[in-house]
Amino acid sequence: MKSVTTELNEIVSRQNVITDSGLLKEYLRTGLSPSNLDGSELVAPIAAVRPVSTKHVSDILQFATKESVPVFIYGGGTSLAGGILGNEPGIIIDMRSMNNIISVSLEDRVARVQAGVLLPQLNSVLQAGNVFMAHDPQAFETTTIGGAVATNGTGYLTSKYGSMGDQVIGMEVVLPTGDILGSSQIAQTYSPGLNVGNIFIGTEGIYGVITEVLIRLFPEPQERRHYALEFESFQHGFLAIQRLFSEGIIPAMINFSEDEDGNDEGKIVADSLTKSVLHITLEGLAGVVDSQEAMVWDLISQLGAKDLGPTEAQQFWELRHRTGQVYRNENRYKAAVDDFLKGRVSVNINTAIPSSRVLELRYQAINIFDIAGVHIHSCSVLGDPEMFSMLVSVDDQNSQDASKLEEAYLAVMSIAIEMGGTIEHSYGIGLRLQEPYAEQIGPESIKLAKKMKNAIDPSGILNRGKVVSIN
């Protein structure tokens, strides 16, 4: 049998195969701290390969299936759930060289791109046509189209435009066997019957490798206005968000946060008043935005909100991608978070539950973390009112504290599931959230996932151990 590297060299040429141990270690650096891997050990790959065509991906997967070599897919490298990390030696397919914008149709309002295209790369091209692609995550600068689809990521503009998967019209996907499904075979819209494309959205590459995506484009709004509003408590601000949506006002952006610094006690307490800030963006035709703005001011005046002014609002909008820019400049997302947390193990909790239960979940979660000695940095709503998040941490040097953190956040996720919610709305499942995700979908769904995996990937090579342990 030929060695893995010899075979890869023949498929894509030697300069597109990486075997240097120092360079391979870079593929283990993501936004996820090793302390958050639930015991999974990181393993350096045998090799990383950079295909430039769908045929390259197909040939690589055919070889890997034949020889039962594990394959892991790498996009922008910003994973906070461990979805791109290898937990056994294998091949990493680095998609960043598949970065061609194949076509843009202003008439049809679509763009066809390879999966390695970066979001800013695409939007810079679209500006000339006065259109944009509406997926706008915090790590905008380093997110690839394929990675966003594979995790069904959300972003700042989710409340109006939906998740990344909502903006996908069709895809080209290479199955583990090397077979290629063209976008016409898995188009999403205007077709009855089985929607095959949904198998590959949000499943983090366990069923196939996304190589091309057909994306819906949107016209640049005639008017875009930003607002920064301070409320005396999380409860008041959340009520304002609920009222906006019930009145039919769907902002392009909702970013609402209660931070520890907003409380006189210097920490978030379930019953106390913590000043909270709501950043919203309205966009569309000028007349429509005028009407919505009037309704917003009337509503927030009833709830005693304080206008922080246009400078604060505009500054937030302009700096919303700051963390992604740090990753781009320093090649490690975690640098920005490390500086803030100063040697602590942190967990982002991003639940999606019925909005009528959000305040109840917040109350219970704060009490659970308080009893466990876990520090709460923030509570927030990012997008729809159902999308409730928390940032919590413990001392990185204390293994007992880390165990308490894991026990506490799993308890919070179980409550979210009992409330009819999900345990993640933004970053994917990956390695970190397999246990609560299994609880969320239940044993029968896991059985179905195993049957699908065995049928599509009989050798079990693709992204082993991710989402749910189904290999």
Side-chain angles (χ1 to χ4, degrees):
M1 183 189 84
K2 295 179 183 178
S3 71
V4 170
T5 54
T6 298
E7 185 69 30
L8 294 177
N9 286 338
E10 292 181 2
I11 294 173
V12 300
S13 75
R14 188 179 301 274
Q15 65 265 31
N16 288 322
V17 179
I18 300 169
T19 57
D20 179 81
S21 60
L23 295 176
L24 291 176
K25 286 181 181 178
E26 290 299 311
Y27 288 98
L28 302 181
R29 301 173 72 176
T30 74
L32 180 66
S33 165
S35 303
N36 289 334
L37 288 173
D38 294 342
S40 300
E41 294 293 327
L42 300 186
V43 180
I46 299 169
V49 55
R50 291 185 168 182
V52 298
S53 69
T54 299
K55 186 179 187 308
H56 282 167
V57 176
S58 175
D59 290 345
I60 293 164
L61 293 181
Q62 284 186 54
F63 163 72
T65 291
K66 179 181 177 182
E67 303 298 339
S68 296
V69 181
V71 173
F72 304 95
I73 316 304
Y74 190 94
T78 57
S79 172
L80 286 172
I84 60 177
L85 295 172
N87 50 7
E88 58 183 310
I91 299 168
I92 281 186
I93 298 181
D94 184 340
M95 298 297 292
R96 288 176 292 179
S97 291
M98 292 188 65
N99 58 3
N100 291 320
I101 299 172
I102 299 167
S103 65
V104 174
S105 173
L106 298 179
E107 183 178 12
D108 295 324
R109 295 172 292 119
V110 298
R112 184 182 296 277
V113 302
Q114 287 186 308
V117 167
L118 293 170
L119 303 187
Q121 175 191 353
L122 176 57
N123 264 346
S124 66
V125 171
L126 298 177
Q127 285 176 359
N130 204 35
V131 294
F132 71 105
M133 195 273 294
H135 185 52
D136 190 58
Q138 187 178 48
F140 179 83
E141 297 285 339
T142 50
T143 296
T144 61
I145 296 292
V149 176
T151 56
N152 195 22
T154 58
Y156 288 107
L157 303 180
T158 294
S159 58
K160 182 170 183 176
Y161 298 100
S163 68
M164 182 69 241
D166 292 327
Q167 299 169 47
V168 173
I169 299 172
M171 288 178 289
E172 176 185 79
V173 177
V174 182
L175 300 181
T177 55
D179 295 325
I180 301 170
L181 295 181
S183 59
S184 62
Q185 295 171 271
I186 52 174
Q188 287 232 118
T189 55
Y190 314 122
S191 177
L194 178 64
N195 189 339
V196 179
N198 278 350
I199 296 173
F200 307 102
I201 295 175
T203 51
E204 302 179 40
I206 65 173
Y207 295 122
V209 179
I210 299 167
T211 50
E212 289 183 15
V213 184
L214 190 66
I215 305 168
R216 172 66 65 204
L217 306 179
F218 299 91
E220 283 286 355
Q222 186 181 85
E223 191 78 18
R224 178 177 281 144
R225 300 177 195 168
H226 312 295
Y227 311 88
L229 310 168
E230 184 181 82
F231 293 85
E232 65 179 23
S233 71
F234 185 92
Q235 294 89 328
H236 283 83
F238 185 73
L239 177 59
I241 296 171
Q242 287 186 304
R243 289 276 301 277
L244 285 174
F245 278 77
S246 66
E247 295 288 339
I249 302 173
I250 310 298
M253 181 185 74
I254 288 280
N255 190 287
F256 175 56
S257 183
E258 167 190 33
D259 297 318
E260 57 189 322
D261 294 338
N263 190 293
D264 292 338
E265 300 179 47
K267 66 176 184 177
I268 294 174
V269 181
D271 291 321
S272 67
L273 298 180
T274 304
K275 290 181 180 179
S276 304
V277 177
L278 171 61
H279 290 275
I280 66 173
T281 296
L282 301 176
E283 64 180 38
L285 296 174
V288 173
V289 175
D290 285 341
S291 175
Q292 291 182 334
E293 182 180 67
M295 296 174 69
V296 168
W297 289 130
D298 179 61
L299 185 152
I300 65 169
S301 65
Q302 298 174 32
L303 295 171
K306 174 184 176 183
D307 181 13
L308 298 180
T311 301
E312 168 71 20
Q314 185 65 31
Q315 185 178 49
F316 178 87
W317 176 260
E318 292 176 355
L319 296 178
R320 70 194 188 282
H321 300 144
R322 178 171 43 194
T323 305
Q325 290 167 346
V326 169
Y327 186 95
R328 180 192 64 184
N329 295 335
E330 301 185 17
N331 195 31
R332 63 190 188 104
Y333 175 97
K334 194 169 170 286
V337 181
D338 279 347
D339 184 58
F340 170 62
L341 294 174
K342 294 180 172 57
R344 301 178 69 85
V345 177
S346 65
V347 170
N348 282 284
I349 298 173
N350 300 300
T351 63
I353 62 173
S355 63
S356 60
R357 310 295 298 274
V358 165
L359 294 179
E360 180 184 353
L361 177 62
R362 172 188 169 276
Y363 184 88
Q364 292 192 46
I366 290 173
N367 286 330
I368 288 171
F369 286 128
D370 189 50
I371 292 170
V374 175
H375 189 82
I376 304 169
H377 296 277
S378 65
C379 298
S380 54
V381 171
L382 309 171
D384 293 333
E386 292 81 9
M387 299 167 67
F388 175 70
S389 299
M390 302 181 77
L391 174 62
V392 299
S393 73
V394 294
D395 189 343
D396 195 10
Q397 309 302 316
N398 191 323
S399 60
Q400 288 186 337
D401 284 352
S403 296
K404 290 179 180 179
L405 170 60
E406 180 179 359
E407 182 179 340
Y409 87 71
L410 289 176
V412 170
M413 290 182 178
S414 290
I415 293 172
I417 293 168
E418 290 172 4
M419 290 180 171
T422 65
I423 50 89
E424 176 60 44
H425 63 60
S426 188
Y427 300 127
I429 305 302
L431 289 168
R432 184 171 71 88
L433 298 177
Q434 289 188 42
E435 181 180 336
Y437 184 66
E439 179 184 352
Q440 176 189 312
I441 67 175
E444 293 306 314
S445 293
I446 292 175
K447 288 180 184 178
L448 178 59
K450 286 182 178 180
K451 290 179 181 179
M452 291 171 58
K453 179 68 170 175
N454 291 334
I456 297 171
D457 185 9
S459 297
I461 64 163
L462 263 185
N463 232 13
R464 288 180 180 175
K466 309 297 169 56
V467 185
V468 287
S469 296
I470 59 179
N471 293 98

